Amino acid sequence: MTTNNLINFASYIPTPKAMLTVAYSPIRLDLAGRQPLELRLTAPTIGSKLPIVILSHGFGPSYYIPSKDGYAPLVQFWAERGFAVIQPTHASSRVGGLSADAEGAPFFWRERVAEVRAVIDLLLDIEEQAPAVAGRLDHGRIAAAGHSFGGHTVSLLLGARLNGEAFCDPRISAGILLTAPGRGGTDLTAENAARFPFFDLDFAHLSTQSLVVCGADDNPHFTPRGPEWHADAYHDGPGARALLTLHGVGHGLGGIAGLDAKETEIEAPDGLEATKRMTLAWLRTALGYDAAAWASACGALAGRASTLGHVKEKPRG
């Protein structure tokens, strides 16, 4: 079966037509005691009351420097179909981030959470720097999505706790965890448990409605548990309503960083297309944009597009 045929299977997952978009970068937010936080904003050129998605990037391996400029396939797809996507360059980034000798280096997990909060706090400032978008954002419909270490950041904002400390932001009404870290502590190798004590999250308080996305071939080196480790938030978090597992893709979900990007360990155009369409459908339903979008997408994935992945959902009660 050819890749082109598989892409045709992804096309069975319904999605709206693309719209023209506009992007602003760099938008700079002044934060106390540090250099400005830089952002990219991508949004449709038309429409009002645009729902907002804040996308938190990962930490990245040594050969890849994540920033506001990454994840173009995912960002453009969401923006072309009605969402305003905001991408901060986190403190942990090796470009535009905090000093390597600052407290909390190199991961700056607390600062990352604070940066997402700052984006929400300063939405009016963001609009002032993006004239074509000013007055068109819906500050009451905000989702947060995070990939890899960005999933750790977003997990905390959705309600996960660390050592009993809460970080939940109620202004975020929906979340997507893209190949996010699972449980820490004894679920990690001894070396990684010592290196990443902040991975020891308690997902039992993750109450914000969320979608967990995993790659079936994503085998993390942090733990001996294998790909299922990335699904822990779904199993432990009451707000994690759905688990999307995509076949034939790894940590990059087929190419969310770009099909020709070095950090895309498995290039899978079909898996990438399914990732884009399924996450969009979740956002449209979770933020009240289209009540039927998620059910329709799941129906397609269970039918003609079933070779691409599958969804598990918790019963509502």
Side-chain angles (χ1 to χ4, degrees):
M1 188 174 292
T2 67
T3 297
N4 285 335
N5 285 336
L6 290 172
I7 292 175
N8 288 336
F9 281 125
S11 71
Y12 290 124
I13 303 170
T15 195
K17 291 183 179 179
M19 297 181 284
L20 190 66
T21 62
V22 61
Y24 288 92
S25 176
I27 293 173
R28 295 185 175 93
L29 301 180
D30 291 326
L31 302 183
R34 53 165 287 175
Q35 74 272 33
L37 174 64
E38 291 196 347
L39 317 170
R40 174 181 293 271
L41 168 62
T42 310
T45 58
I46 61 173
S48 60
K49 304 290 283 185
L50 300 175
I52 299 165
V53 183
I54 302 171
L55 179 59
S56 176
H57 64 68
F59 184 76
S62 59
Y63 54 80
Y64 169 54
I65 302 176
S67 72
K68 62 179 174 57
D69 300 318
Y71 302 100
L74 203 55
V75 171
Q76 277 299 130
F77 193 83
W78 291 345
E80 288 169 3
R81 289 158 182 82
F83 289 83
V85 186
I86 300 175
Q87 299 173 262
T89 294
H90 281 302
S92 62
S93 176
R94 294 180 290 284
V95 291
L98 298 184
S99 170
D101 59 3
E103 184 179 358
F107 301 108
F108 294 111
W109 67 268
R110 283 186 179 274
E111 287 76 9
R112 291 172 60 103
V113 172
E115 286 161 352
V116 176
R117 284 210 180 99
V119 169
I120 302 174
D121 292 339
L122 300 172
L123 282 172
L124 290 177
D125 291 7
I126 292 171
E127 290 192 36
E128 286 182 3
Q129 298 181 57
V133 181
R136 298 174 53 224
L137 302 186
D138 189 341
H139 297 196
R141 288 195 293 176
I142 300 173
H147 175 240
S148 193
F149 191 37
H152 178 276
T153 302
V154 172
S155 292
L156 291 168
L157 290 158
L158 300 177
R161 296 184 181 181
L162 179 58
N163 298 325
E165 186 176 355
F167 302 84
C168 187
D169 194 316
R171 296 173 296 181
I172 298 171
S173 56
I176 299 179
L177 302 179
L178 302 159
T179 62
R183 302 183 203 104
T186 57
D187 285 77
L188 305 180
T189 64
E191 177 185 357
N192 284 303
R195 187 183 181 199
F196 303 106
F198 49 84
F199 273 8
D200 199 15
L201 297 187
D202 176 5
F203 295 111
H205 299 278
L206 194 157
S207 57
T208 306
Q209 59 175 339
S210 305
L211 168 66
V212 177
V213 184
C214 299
D217 295 340
D218 183 3
N219 201 347
H221 62 270
F222 301 103
T223 172
R225 290 181 48 210
E228 68 174 24
W229 180 66
H230 291 290
D232 286 350
Y234 171 74
H235 296 296
D236 297 352
R241 306 303 313 169
L243 171 64
L244 168 63
T245 302
L246 293 156
H247 303 158
V249 301
H251 199 61
L253 296 172
I256 59 175
L259 284 173
D260 57 351
K262 189 174 182 180
E263 62 273 20
T264 300
E265 81 290 12
I266 299 175
E267 293 183 359
D270 52 320
L272 173 59
E273 189 67 20
T275 299
K276 294 189 299 185
R277 291 178 178 234
M278 293 300 294
T279 55
L280 176 77
W282 170 266
L283 289 169
R284 286 173 61 82
T285 293
L287 290 182
Y289 206 56
D290 180 350
W294 176 244
S296 180
C298 288
L301 192 65
R304 288 178 163 182
S306 61
T307 58
L308 302 179
H310 62 274
V311 171
K312 290 183 180 179
E313 290 193 87
K314 294 175 181 175
R316 296 187 179 273

